[in-house]
C-alpha cells in the first residue's frame, strides 16, 4: 500500500509483491515501519479493512467518533469512512485489507457455494466471544501464512478469496445470531432500516423527511416515530447527522473549497451550508477544517511487504 500525491481525500490500496488483492498485516509490522505521527493520522480509505484487536486496549476513531477496543474487538471499516488508530500504540492486532471487487460477484455466488456477502449487514464494531475470537484469529493467521507461500500467484489468489469469503461468512453468521437475540424486531425498526439504506444512497440530494417518507410509503410522523424508537432521535436529526458526517469527511480530507462541498451536498448556496454547519457543530466549516485537515501531502501509511 503506497501513499500517492493526488486528491487527498482517499487512501488507495496498492497491493505489493505478486499484487494479491488482499493484505494481512500485524499491527506490530505497521508500528515498526511507520512513525507514530503517520499511524495516528486520520485517513479516508478507498478499500475495506477489518481490524481485530488481540492484546491491549486502544481508543480508535471512526468517522470522528471514539470507539473503545479491547481484546476481542473487531472493527469493520468501509470505503469512505474516516479512521484513525488513535494515540495509544501499545496494542496488538490484525489488519485485513481488501477491495470490494476481491469478493465473489453475484454471478460467482449463484451456485450457493459461496453465498452473496453483504458487508453492509455487519455492525461497525463487534465484540467476539472467546470461541469466536479464537476462530477469527486462527483464520486470519492462516491467511497471512498462505499469502506468503510459494505457490502460483493465481492459485494463492484464489485460495485467499475463499478464505476471505469464509471469514466474512463467519462474521455474517455471528451478526445473524446477534440480531436473532434481539427481541425487538418491530415494524418501526424495519422501517428505520429501510430509511437508513435510502439515506446512505440519497443524503446529498434529499434533505427533507418528506422525501424519504414518500418513497417508504408512510407519513412523516410514522417515519419519525420509527427513528425515535431506533435511535432516540427524530428523522430530521438523523438526516442532519448524516449530512454533517459527509461534510466533515470532505472538509477534513479534501482541499475542495467550501462552496464546492456545499454544492456536492445539495445546498443551493454556500451561506446556507455554513449556517447549517454552524448550527450543528457550533463552529464554521473553516474552523473545523483548520482543526482537522490532514493537508494535501500523502503519508505512506503501509509500505510494501518484504
Amino acid at each position: 500500500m503506497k501513499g500517492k500525491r493526488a486528491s487527498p481525500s482517499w487512501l488507495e490500496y496498492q497491493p505489493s509483491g505478486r499484487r494479491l488483492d488482499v493484505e494481512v498485516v500485524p499491527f506490530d509490522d505497521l508500528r515498526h515501519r511507520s512513525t507514530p505521527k503517520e499511524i495516528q493520522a486520520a485517513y479516508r480509505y478507498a478499500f475495506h479493512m477489518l481490524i481485530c484487536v488481540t492484546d491491549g486496549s486502544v481508543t480508535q476513531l471512526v468517522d470522528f467518533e471514539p470507539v473503545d477496543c479491547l481484546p476481542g474487538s473487531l472493527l469493520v471499516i468501509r470505503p469512505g469512512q474516516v479512521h484513525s488508530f488513535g494515540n495509544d500504540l501499545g496494542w496488538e492486532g490484525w489488519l485485513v485489507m481488501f477491495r470490494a471487487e476481491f469478493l465473489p460477484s453475484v454471478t460467482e455466488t449463484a451456485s450457493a457455494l459461496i453465498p452473496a456477502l453483504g458487508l453492509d449487514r455487519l455492525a461497525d464494531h463487534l465484540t467476539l466471544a472467546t470461541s469466536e475470537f479464537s476462530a477469527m484469529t486462527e483464520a486470519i493467521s492462516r491467511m497471512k501464512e498462505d499469502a506468503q507461500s510459494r505457490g502460483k500467484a493465481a492459485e494463492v489468489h484464489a485460495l485467499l478469496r475463499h478464505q476471505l469469503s469464509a471469514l466474512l461468512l463467519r462474521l455474517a453468521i455471528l451478526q445473524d445470531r446477534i440480531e436473532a437475540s434481539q427481541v425487538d424486531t418491530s415494524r418501526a425498526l424495519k422501517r428505520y432500516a429501510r430509511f437508513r439504506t435510502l439515506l446512505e444512497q440519497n443524503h446529498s440530494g434529499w434533505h427533507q423527511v418528506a422525501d424519504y417518507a414518500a418513497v417508504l410509503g408512510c407519513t412523516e410522523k410514522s417515519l419519525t416515530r420509527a427513528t425515535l424508537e431506533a435511535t432516540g432521535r427524530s428523522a430530521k436529526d438523523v438526516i442532519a447527522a448524516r449530512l454533517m458526517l459527509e461534510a466533515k469527511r470532505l472538509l477534513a480530507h479534501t482541499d475542495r473549497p467550501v462552496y464546492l462541498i456545499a454544492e456536492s451536498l445539495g445546498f443551493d448556496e454556500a451561506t446556507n451550508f455554513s449556517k447549517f454547519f454552524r448550527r450543528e457543530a457550533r463552529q464554521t466549516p473553516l474552523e473545523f477544517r483548520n482543526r482537522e485537515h490532514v493537508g494535501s501531502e500523502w503519508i505512506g501509511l503501509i509500505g510494501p511487504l518484504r
Side-chain angles (χ1 to χ4, degrees):
M1 191 176 307
K2 301 177 182 177
K4 67 179 184 180
R5 192 178 181 86
S7 170
S9 59
W10 298 94
L11 187 63
E12 292 282 359
Y13 172 44
Q14 299 291 341
S16 57
R18 290 177 294 181
R19 302 194 63 78
L20 300 173
D21 285 330
V22 62
E23 195 156 9
V24 182
V25 182
F27 182 70
D28 186 57
D29 281 12
L30 188 63
R31 184 168 47 238
H32 281 90
R33 61 190 187 206
S34 304
T35 67
K37 181 179 179 181
E38 289 172 337
I39 296 175
Q40 293 165 0
Y43 297 90
R44 192 177 189 188
Y45 303 123
F47 52 89
H48 293 275
M49 179 162 63
L50 306 178
I51 304 171
C52 183
V53 178
T54 57
D55 293 288
S57 62
V58 60
T59 298
Q60 303 192 33
L61 296 175
V62 180
D63 282 334
F64 309 99
E65 296 295 328
V67 180
D68 295 329
C69 300
L70 296 170
S73 288
L74 188 135
L75 297 184
V76 180
I77 309 296
R78 299 173 173 84
Q81 288 191 297
V82 176
H83 169 256
S84 166
F85 289 106
N87 295 325
D88 188 350
L89 303 182
W91 61 280
E92 298 295 347
W94 288 104
L95 316 179
V96 180
M97 296 160 285
F98 58 96
R99 291 190 292 256
E101 57 265 31
F102 185 61
L103 295 175
S105 66
V106 174
T107 55
E108 290 175 308
T109 62
S111 66
L113 178 62
I114 301 179
L117 295 163
L119 287 174
D120 290 341
R121 291 175 51 208
L122 300 179
D124 295 335
H125 182 198
L126 292 167
T127 300
L128 306 177
T130 301
S131 59
E132 296 160 350
F133 175 68
S134 177
M136 188 64 56
T137 53
E138 182 179 344
I140 294 174
S141 179
R142 181 73 262 175
M143 288 177 67
K144 170 68 173 175
E145 292 180 21
D146 288 339
Q148 296 175 323
S149 69
R150 296 184 178 182
K152 295 179 180 178
E155 294 174 349
V156 174
H157 194 274
L159 175 61
L160 292 174
R161 286 188 83 193
H162 282 275
Q163 288 174 325
L164 178 62
S165 296
L167 189 72
L168 294 174
L169 283 171
R170 188 181 297 277
L171 290 176
I173 291 170
L174 172 60
Q175 184 70 38
D176 288 342
R177 288 209 309 267
I178 293 172
E179 292 176 357
S181 68
Q182 297 171 344
V183 295
D184 194 352
T185 56
S186 69
R187 185 176 181 180
L189 290 182
K190 292 178 181 178
R191 176 171 289 159
Y192 171 74
R194 293 172 59 207
F195 165 60
R196 284 293 301 176
T197 299
L198 283 175
L199 183 59
E200 281 301 309
Q201 297 169 347
N202 302 285
H203 58 267
S204 62
W206 300 1
H207 294 182
Q208 304 302 319
V209 178
D211 297 328
Y212 297 93
V215 175
L216 293 171
C218 66
T219 65
E220 294 179 48
K221 287 185 178 179
S222 294
L223 181 52
T224 293
R225 281 197 298 270
T227 60
L228 284 170
E229 182 176 334
T231 69
R233 296 184 295 176
S234 69
K236 180 180 178 180
D237 288 342
V238 172
I239 293 170
R242 184 61 185 88
L243 270 174
M244 277 296 296
L245 171 58
E246 197 62 28
K248 287 179 176 180
R249 287 172 171 175
L250 294 172
L251 287 166
H253 293 273
T254 78
D255 289 326
R256 291 186 207 171
V258 171
Y259 78 90
L260 286 181
I261 291 176
E263 184 178 294
S264 71
L265 292 176
F267 288 87
D268 294 333
E269 300 287 342
T271 53
N272 292 335
F273 169 68
S274 294
K275 289 177 182 177
F276 163 77
F277 195 95
R278 180 187 282 274
R279 183 179 71 243
E280 297 295 323
R282 300 182 183 274
Q283 59 185 320
T284 68
L286 288 179
E287 287 171 342
F288 176 83
R289 168 170 275 173
N290 290 336
R291 182 168 61 90
E292 299 286 347
H293 192 232
V294 299
S296 59
E297 290 292 333
W298 278 94
I299 297 174
L301 179 62
I302 301 177
L305 289 178
R306 290 176 172 80

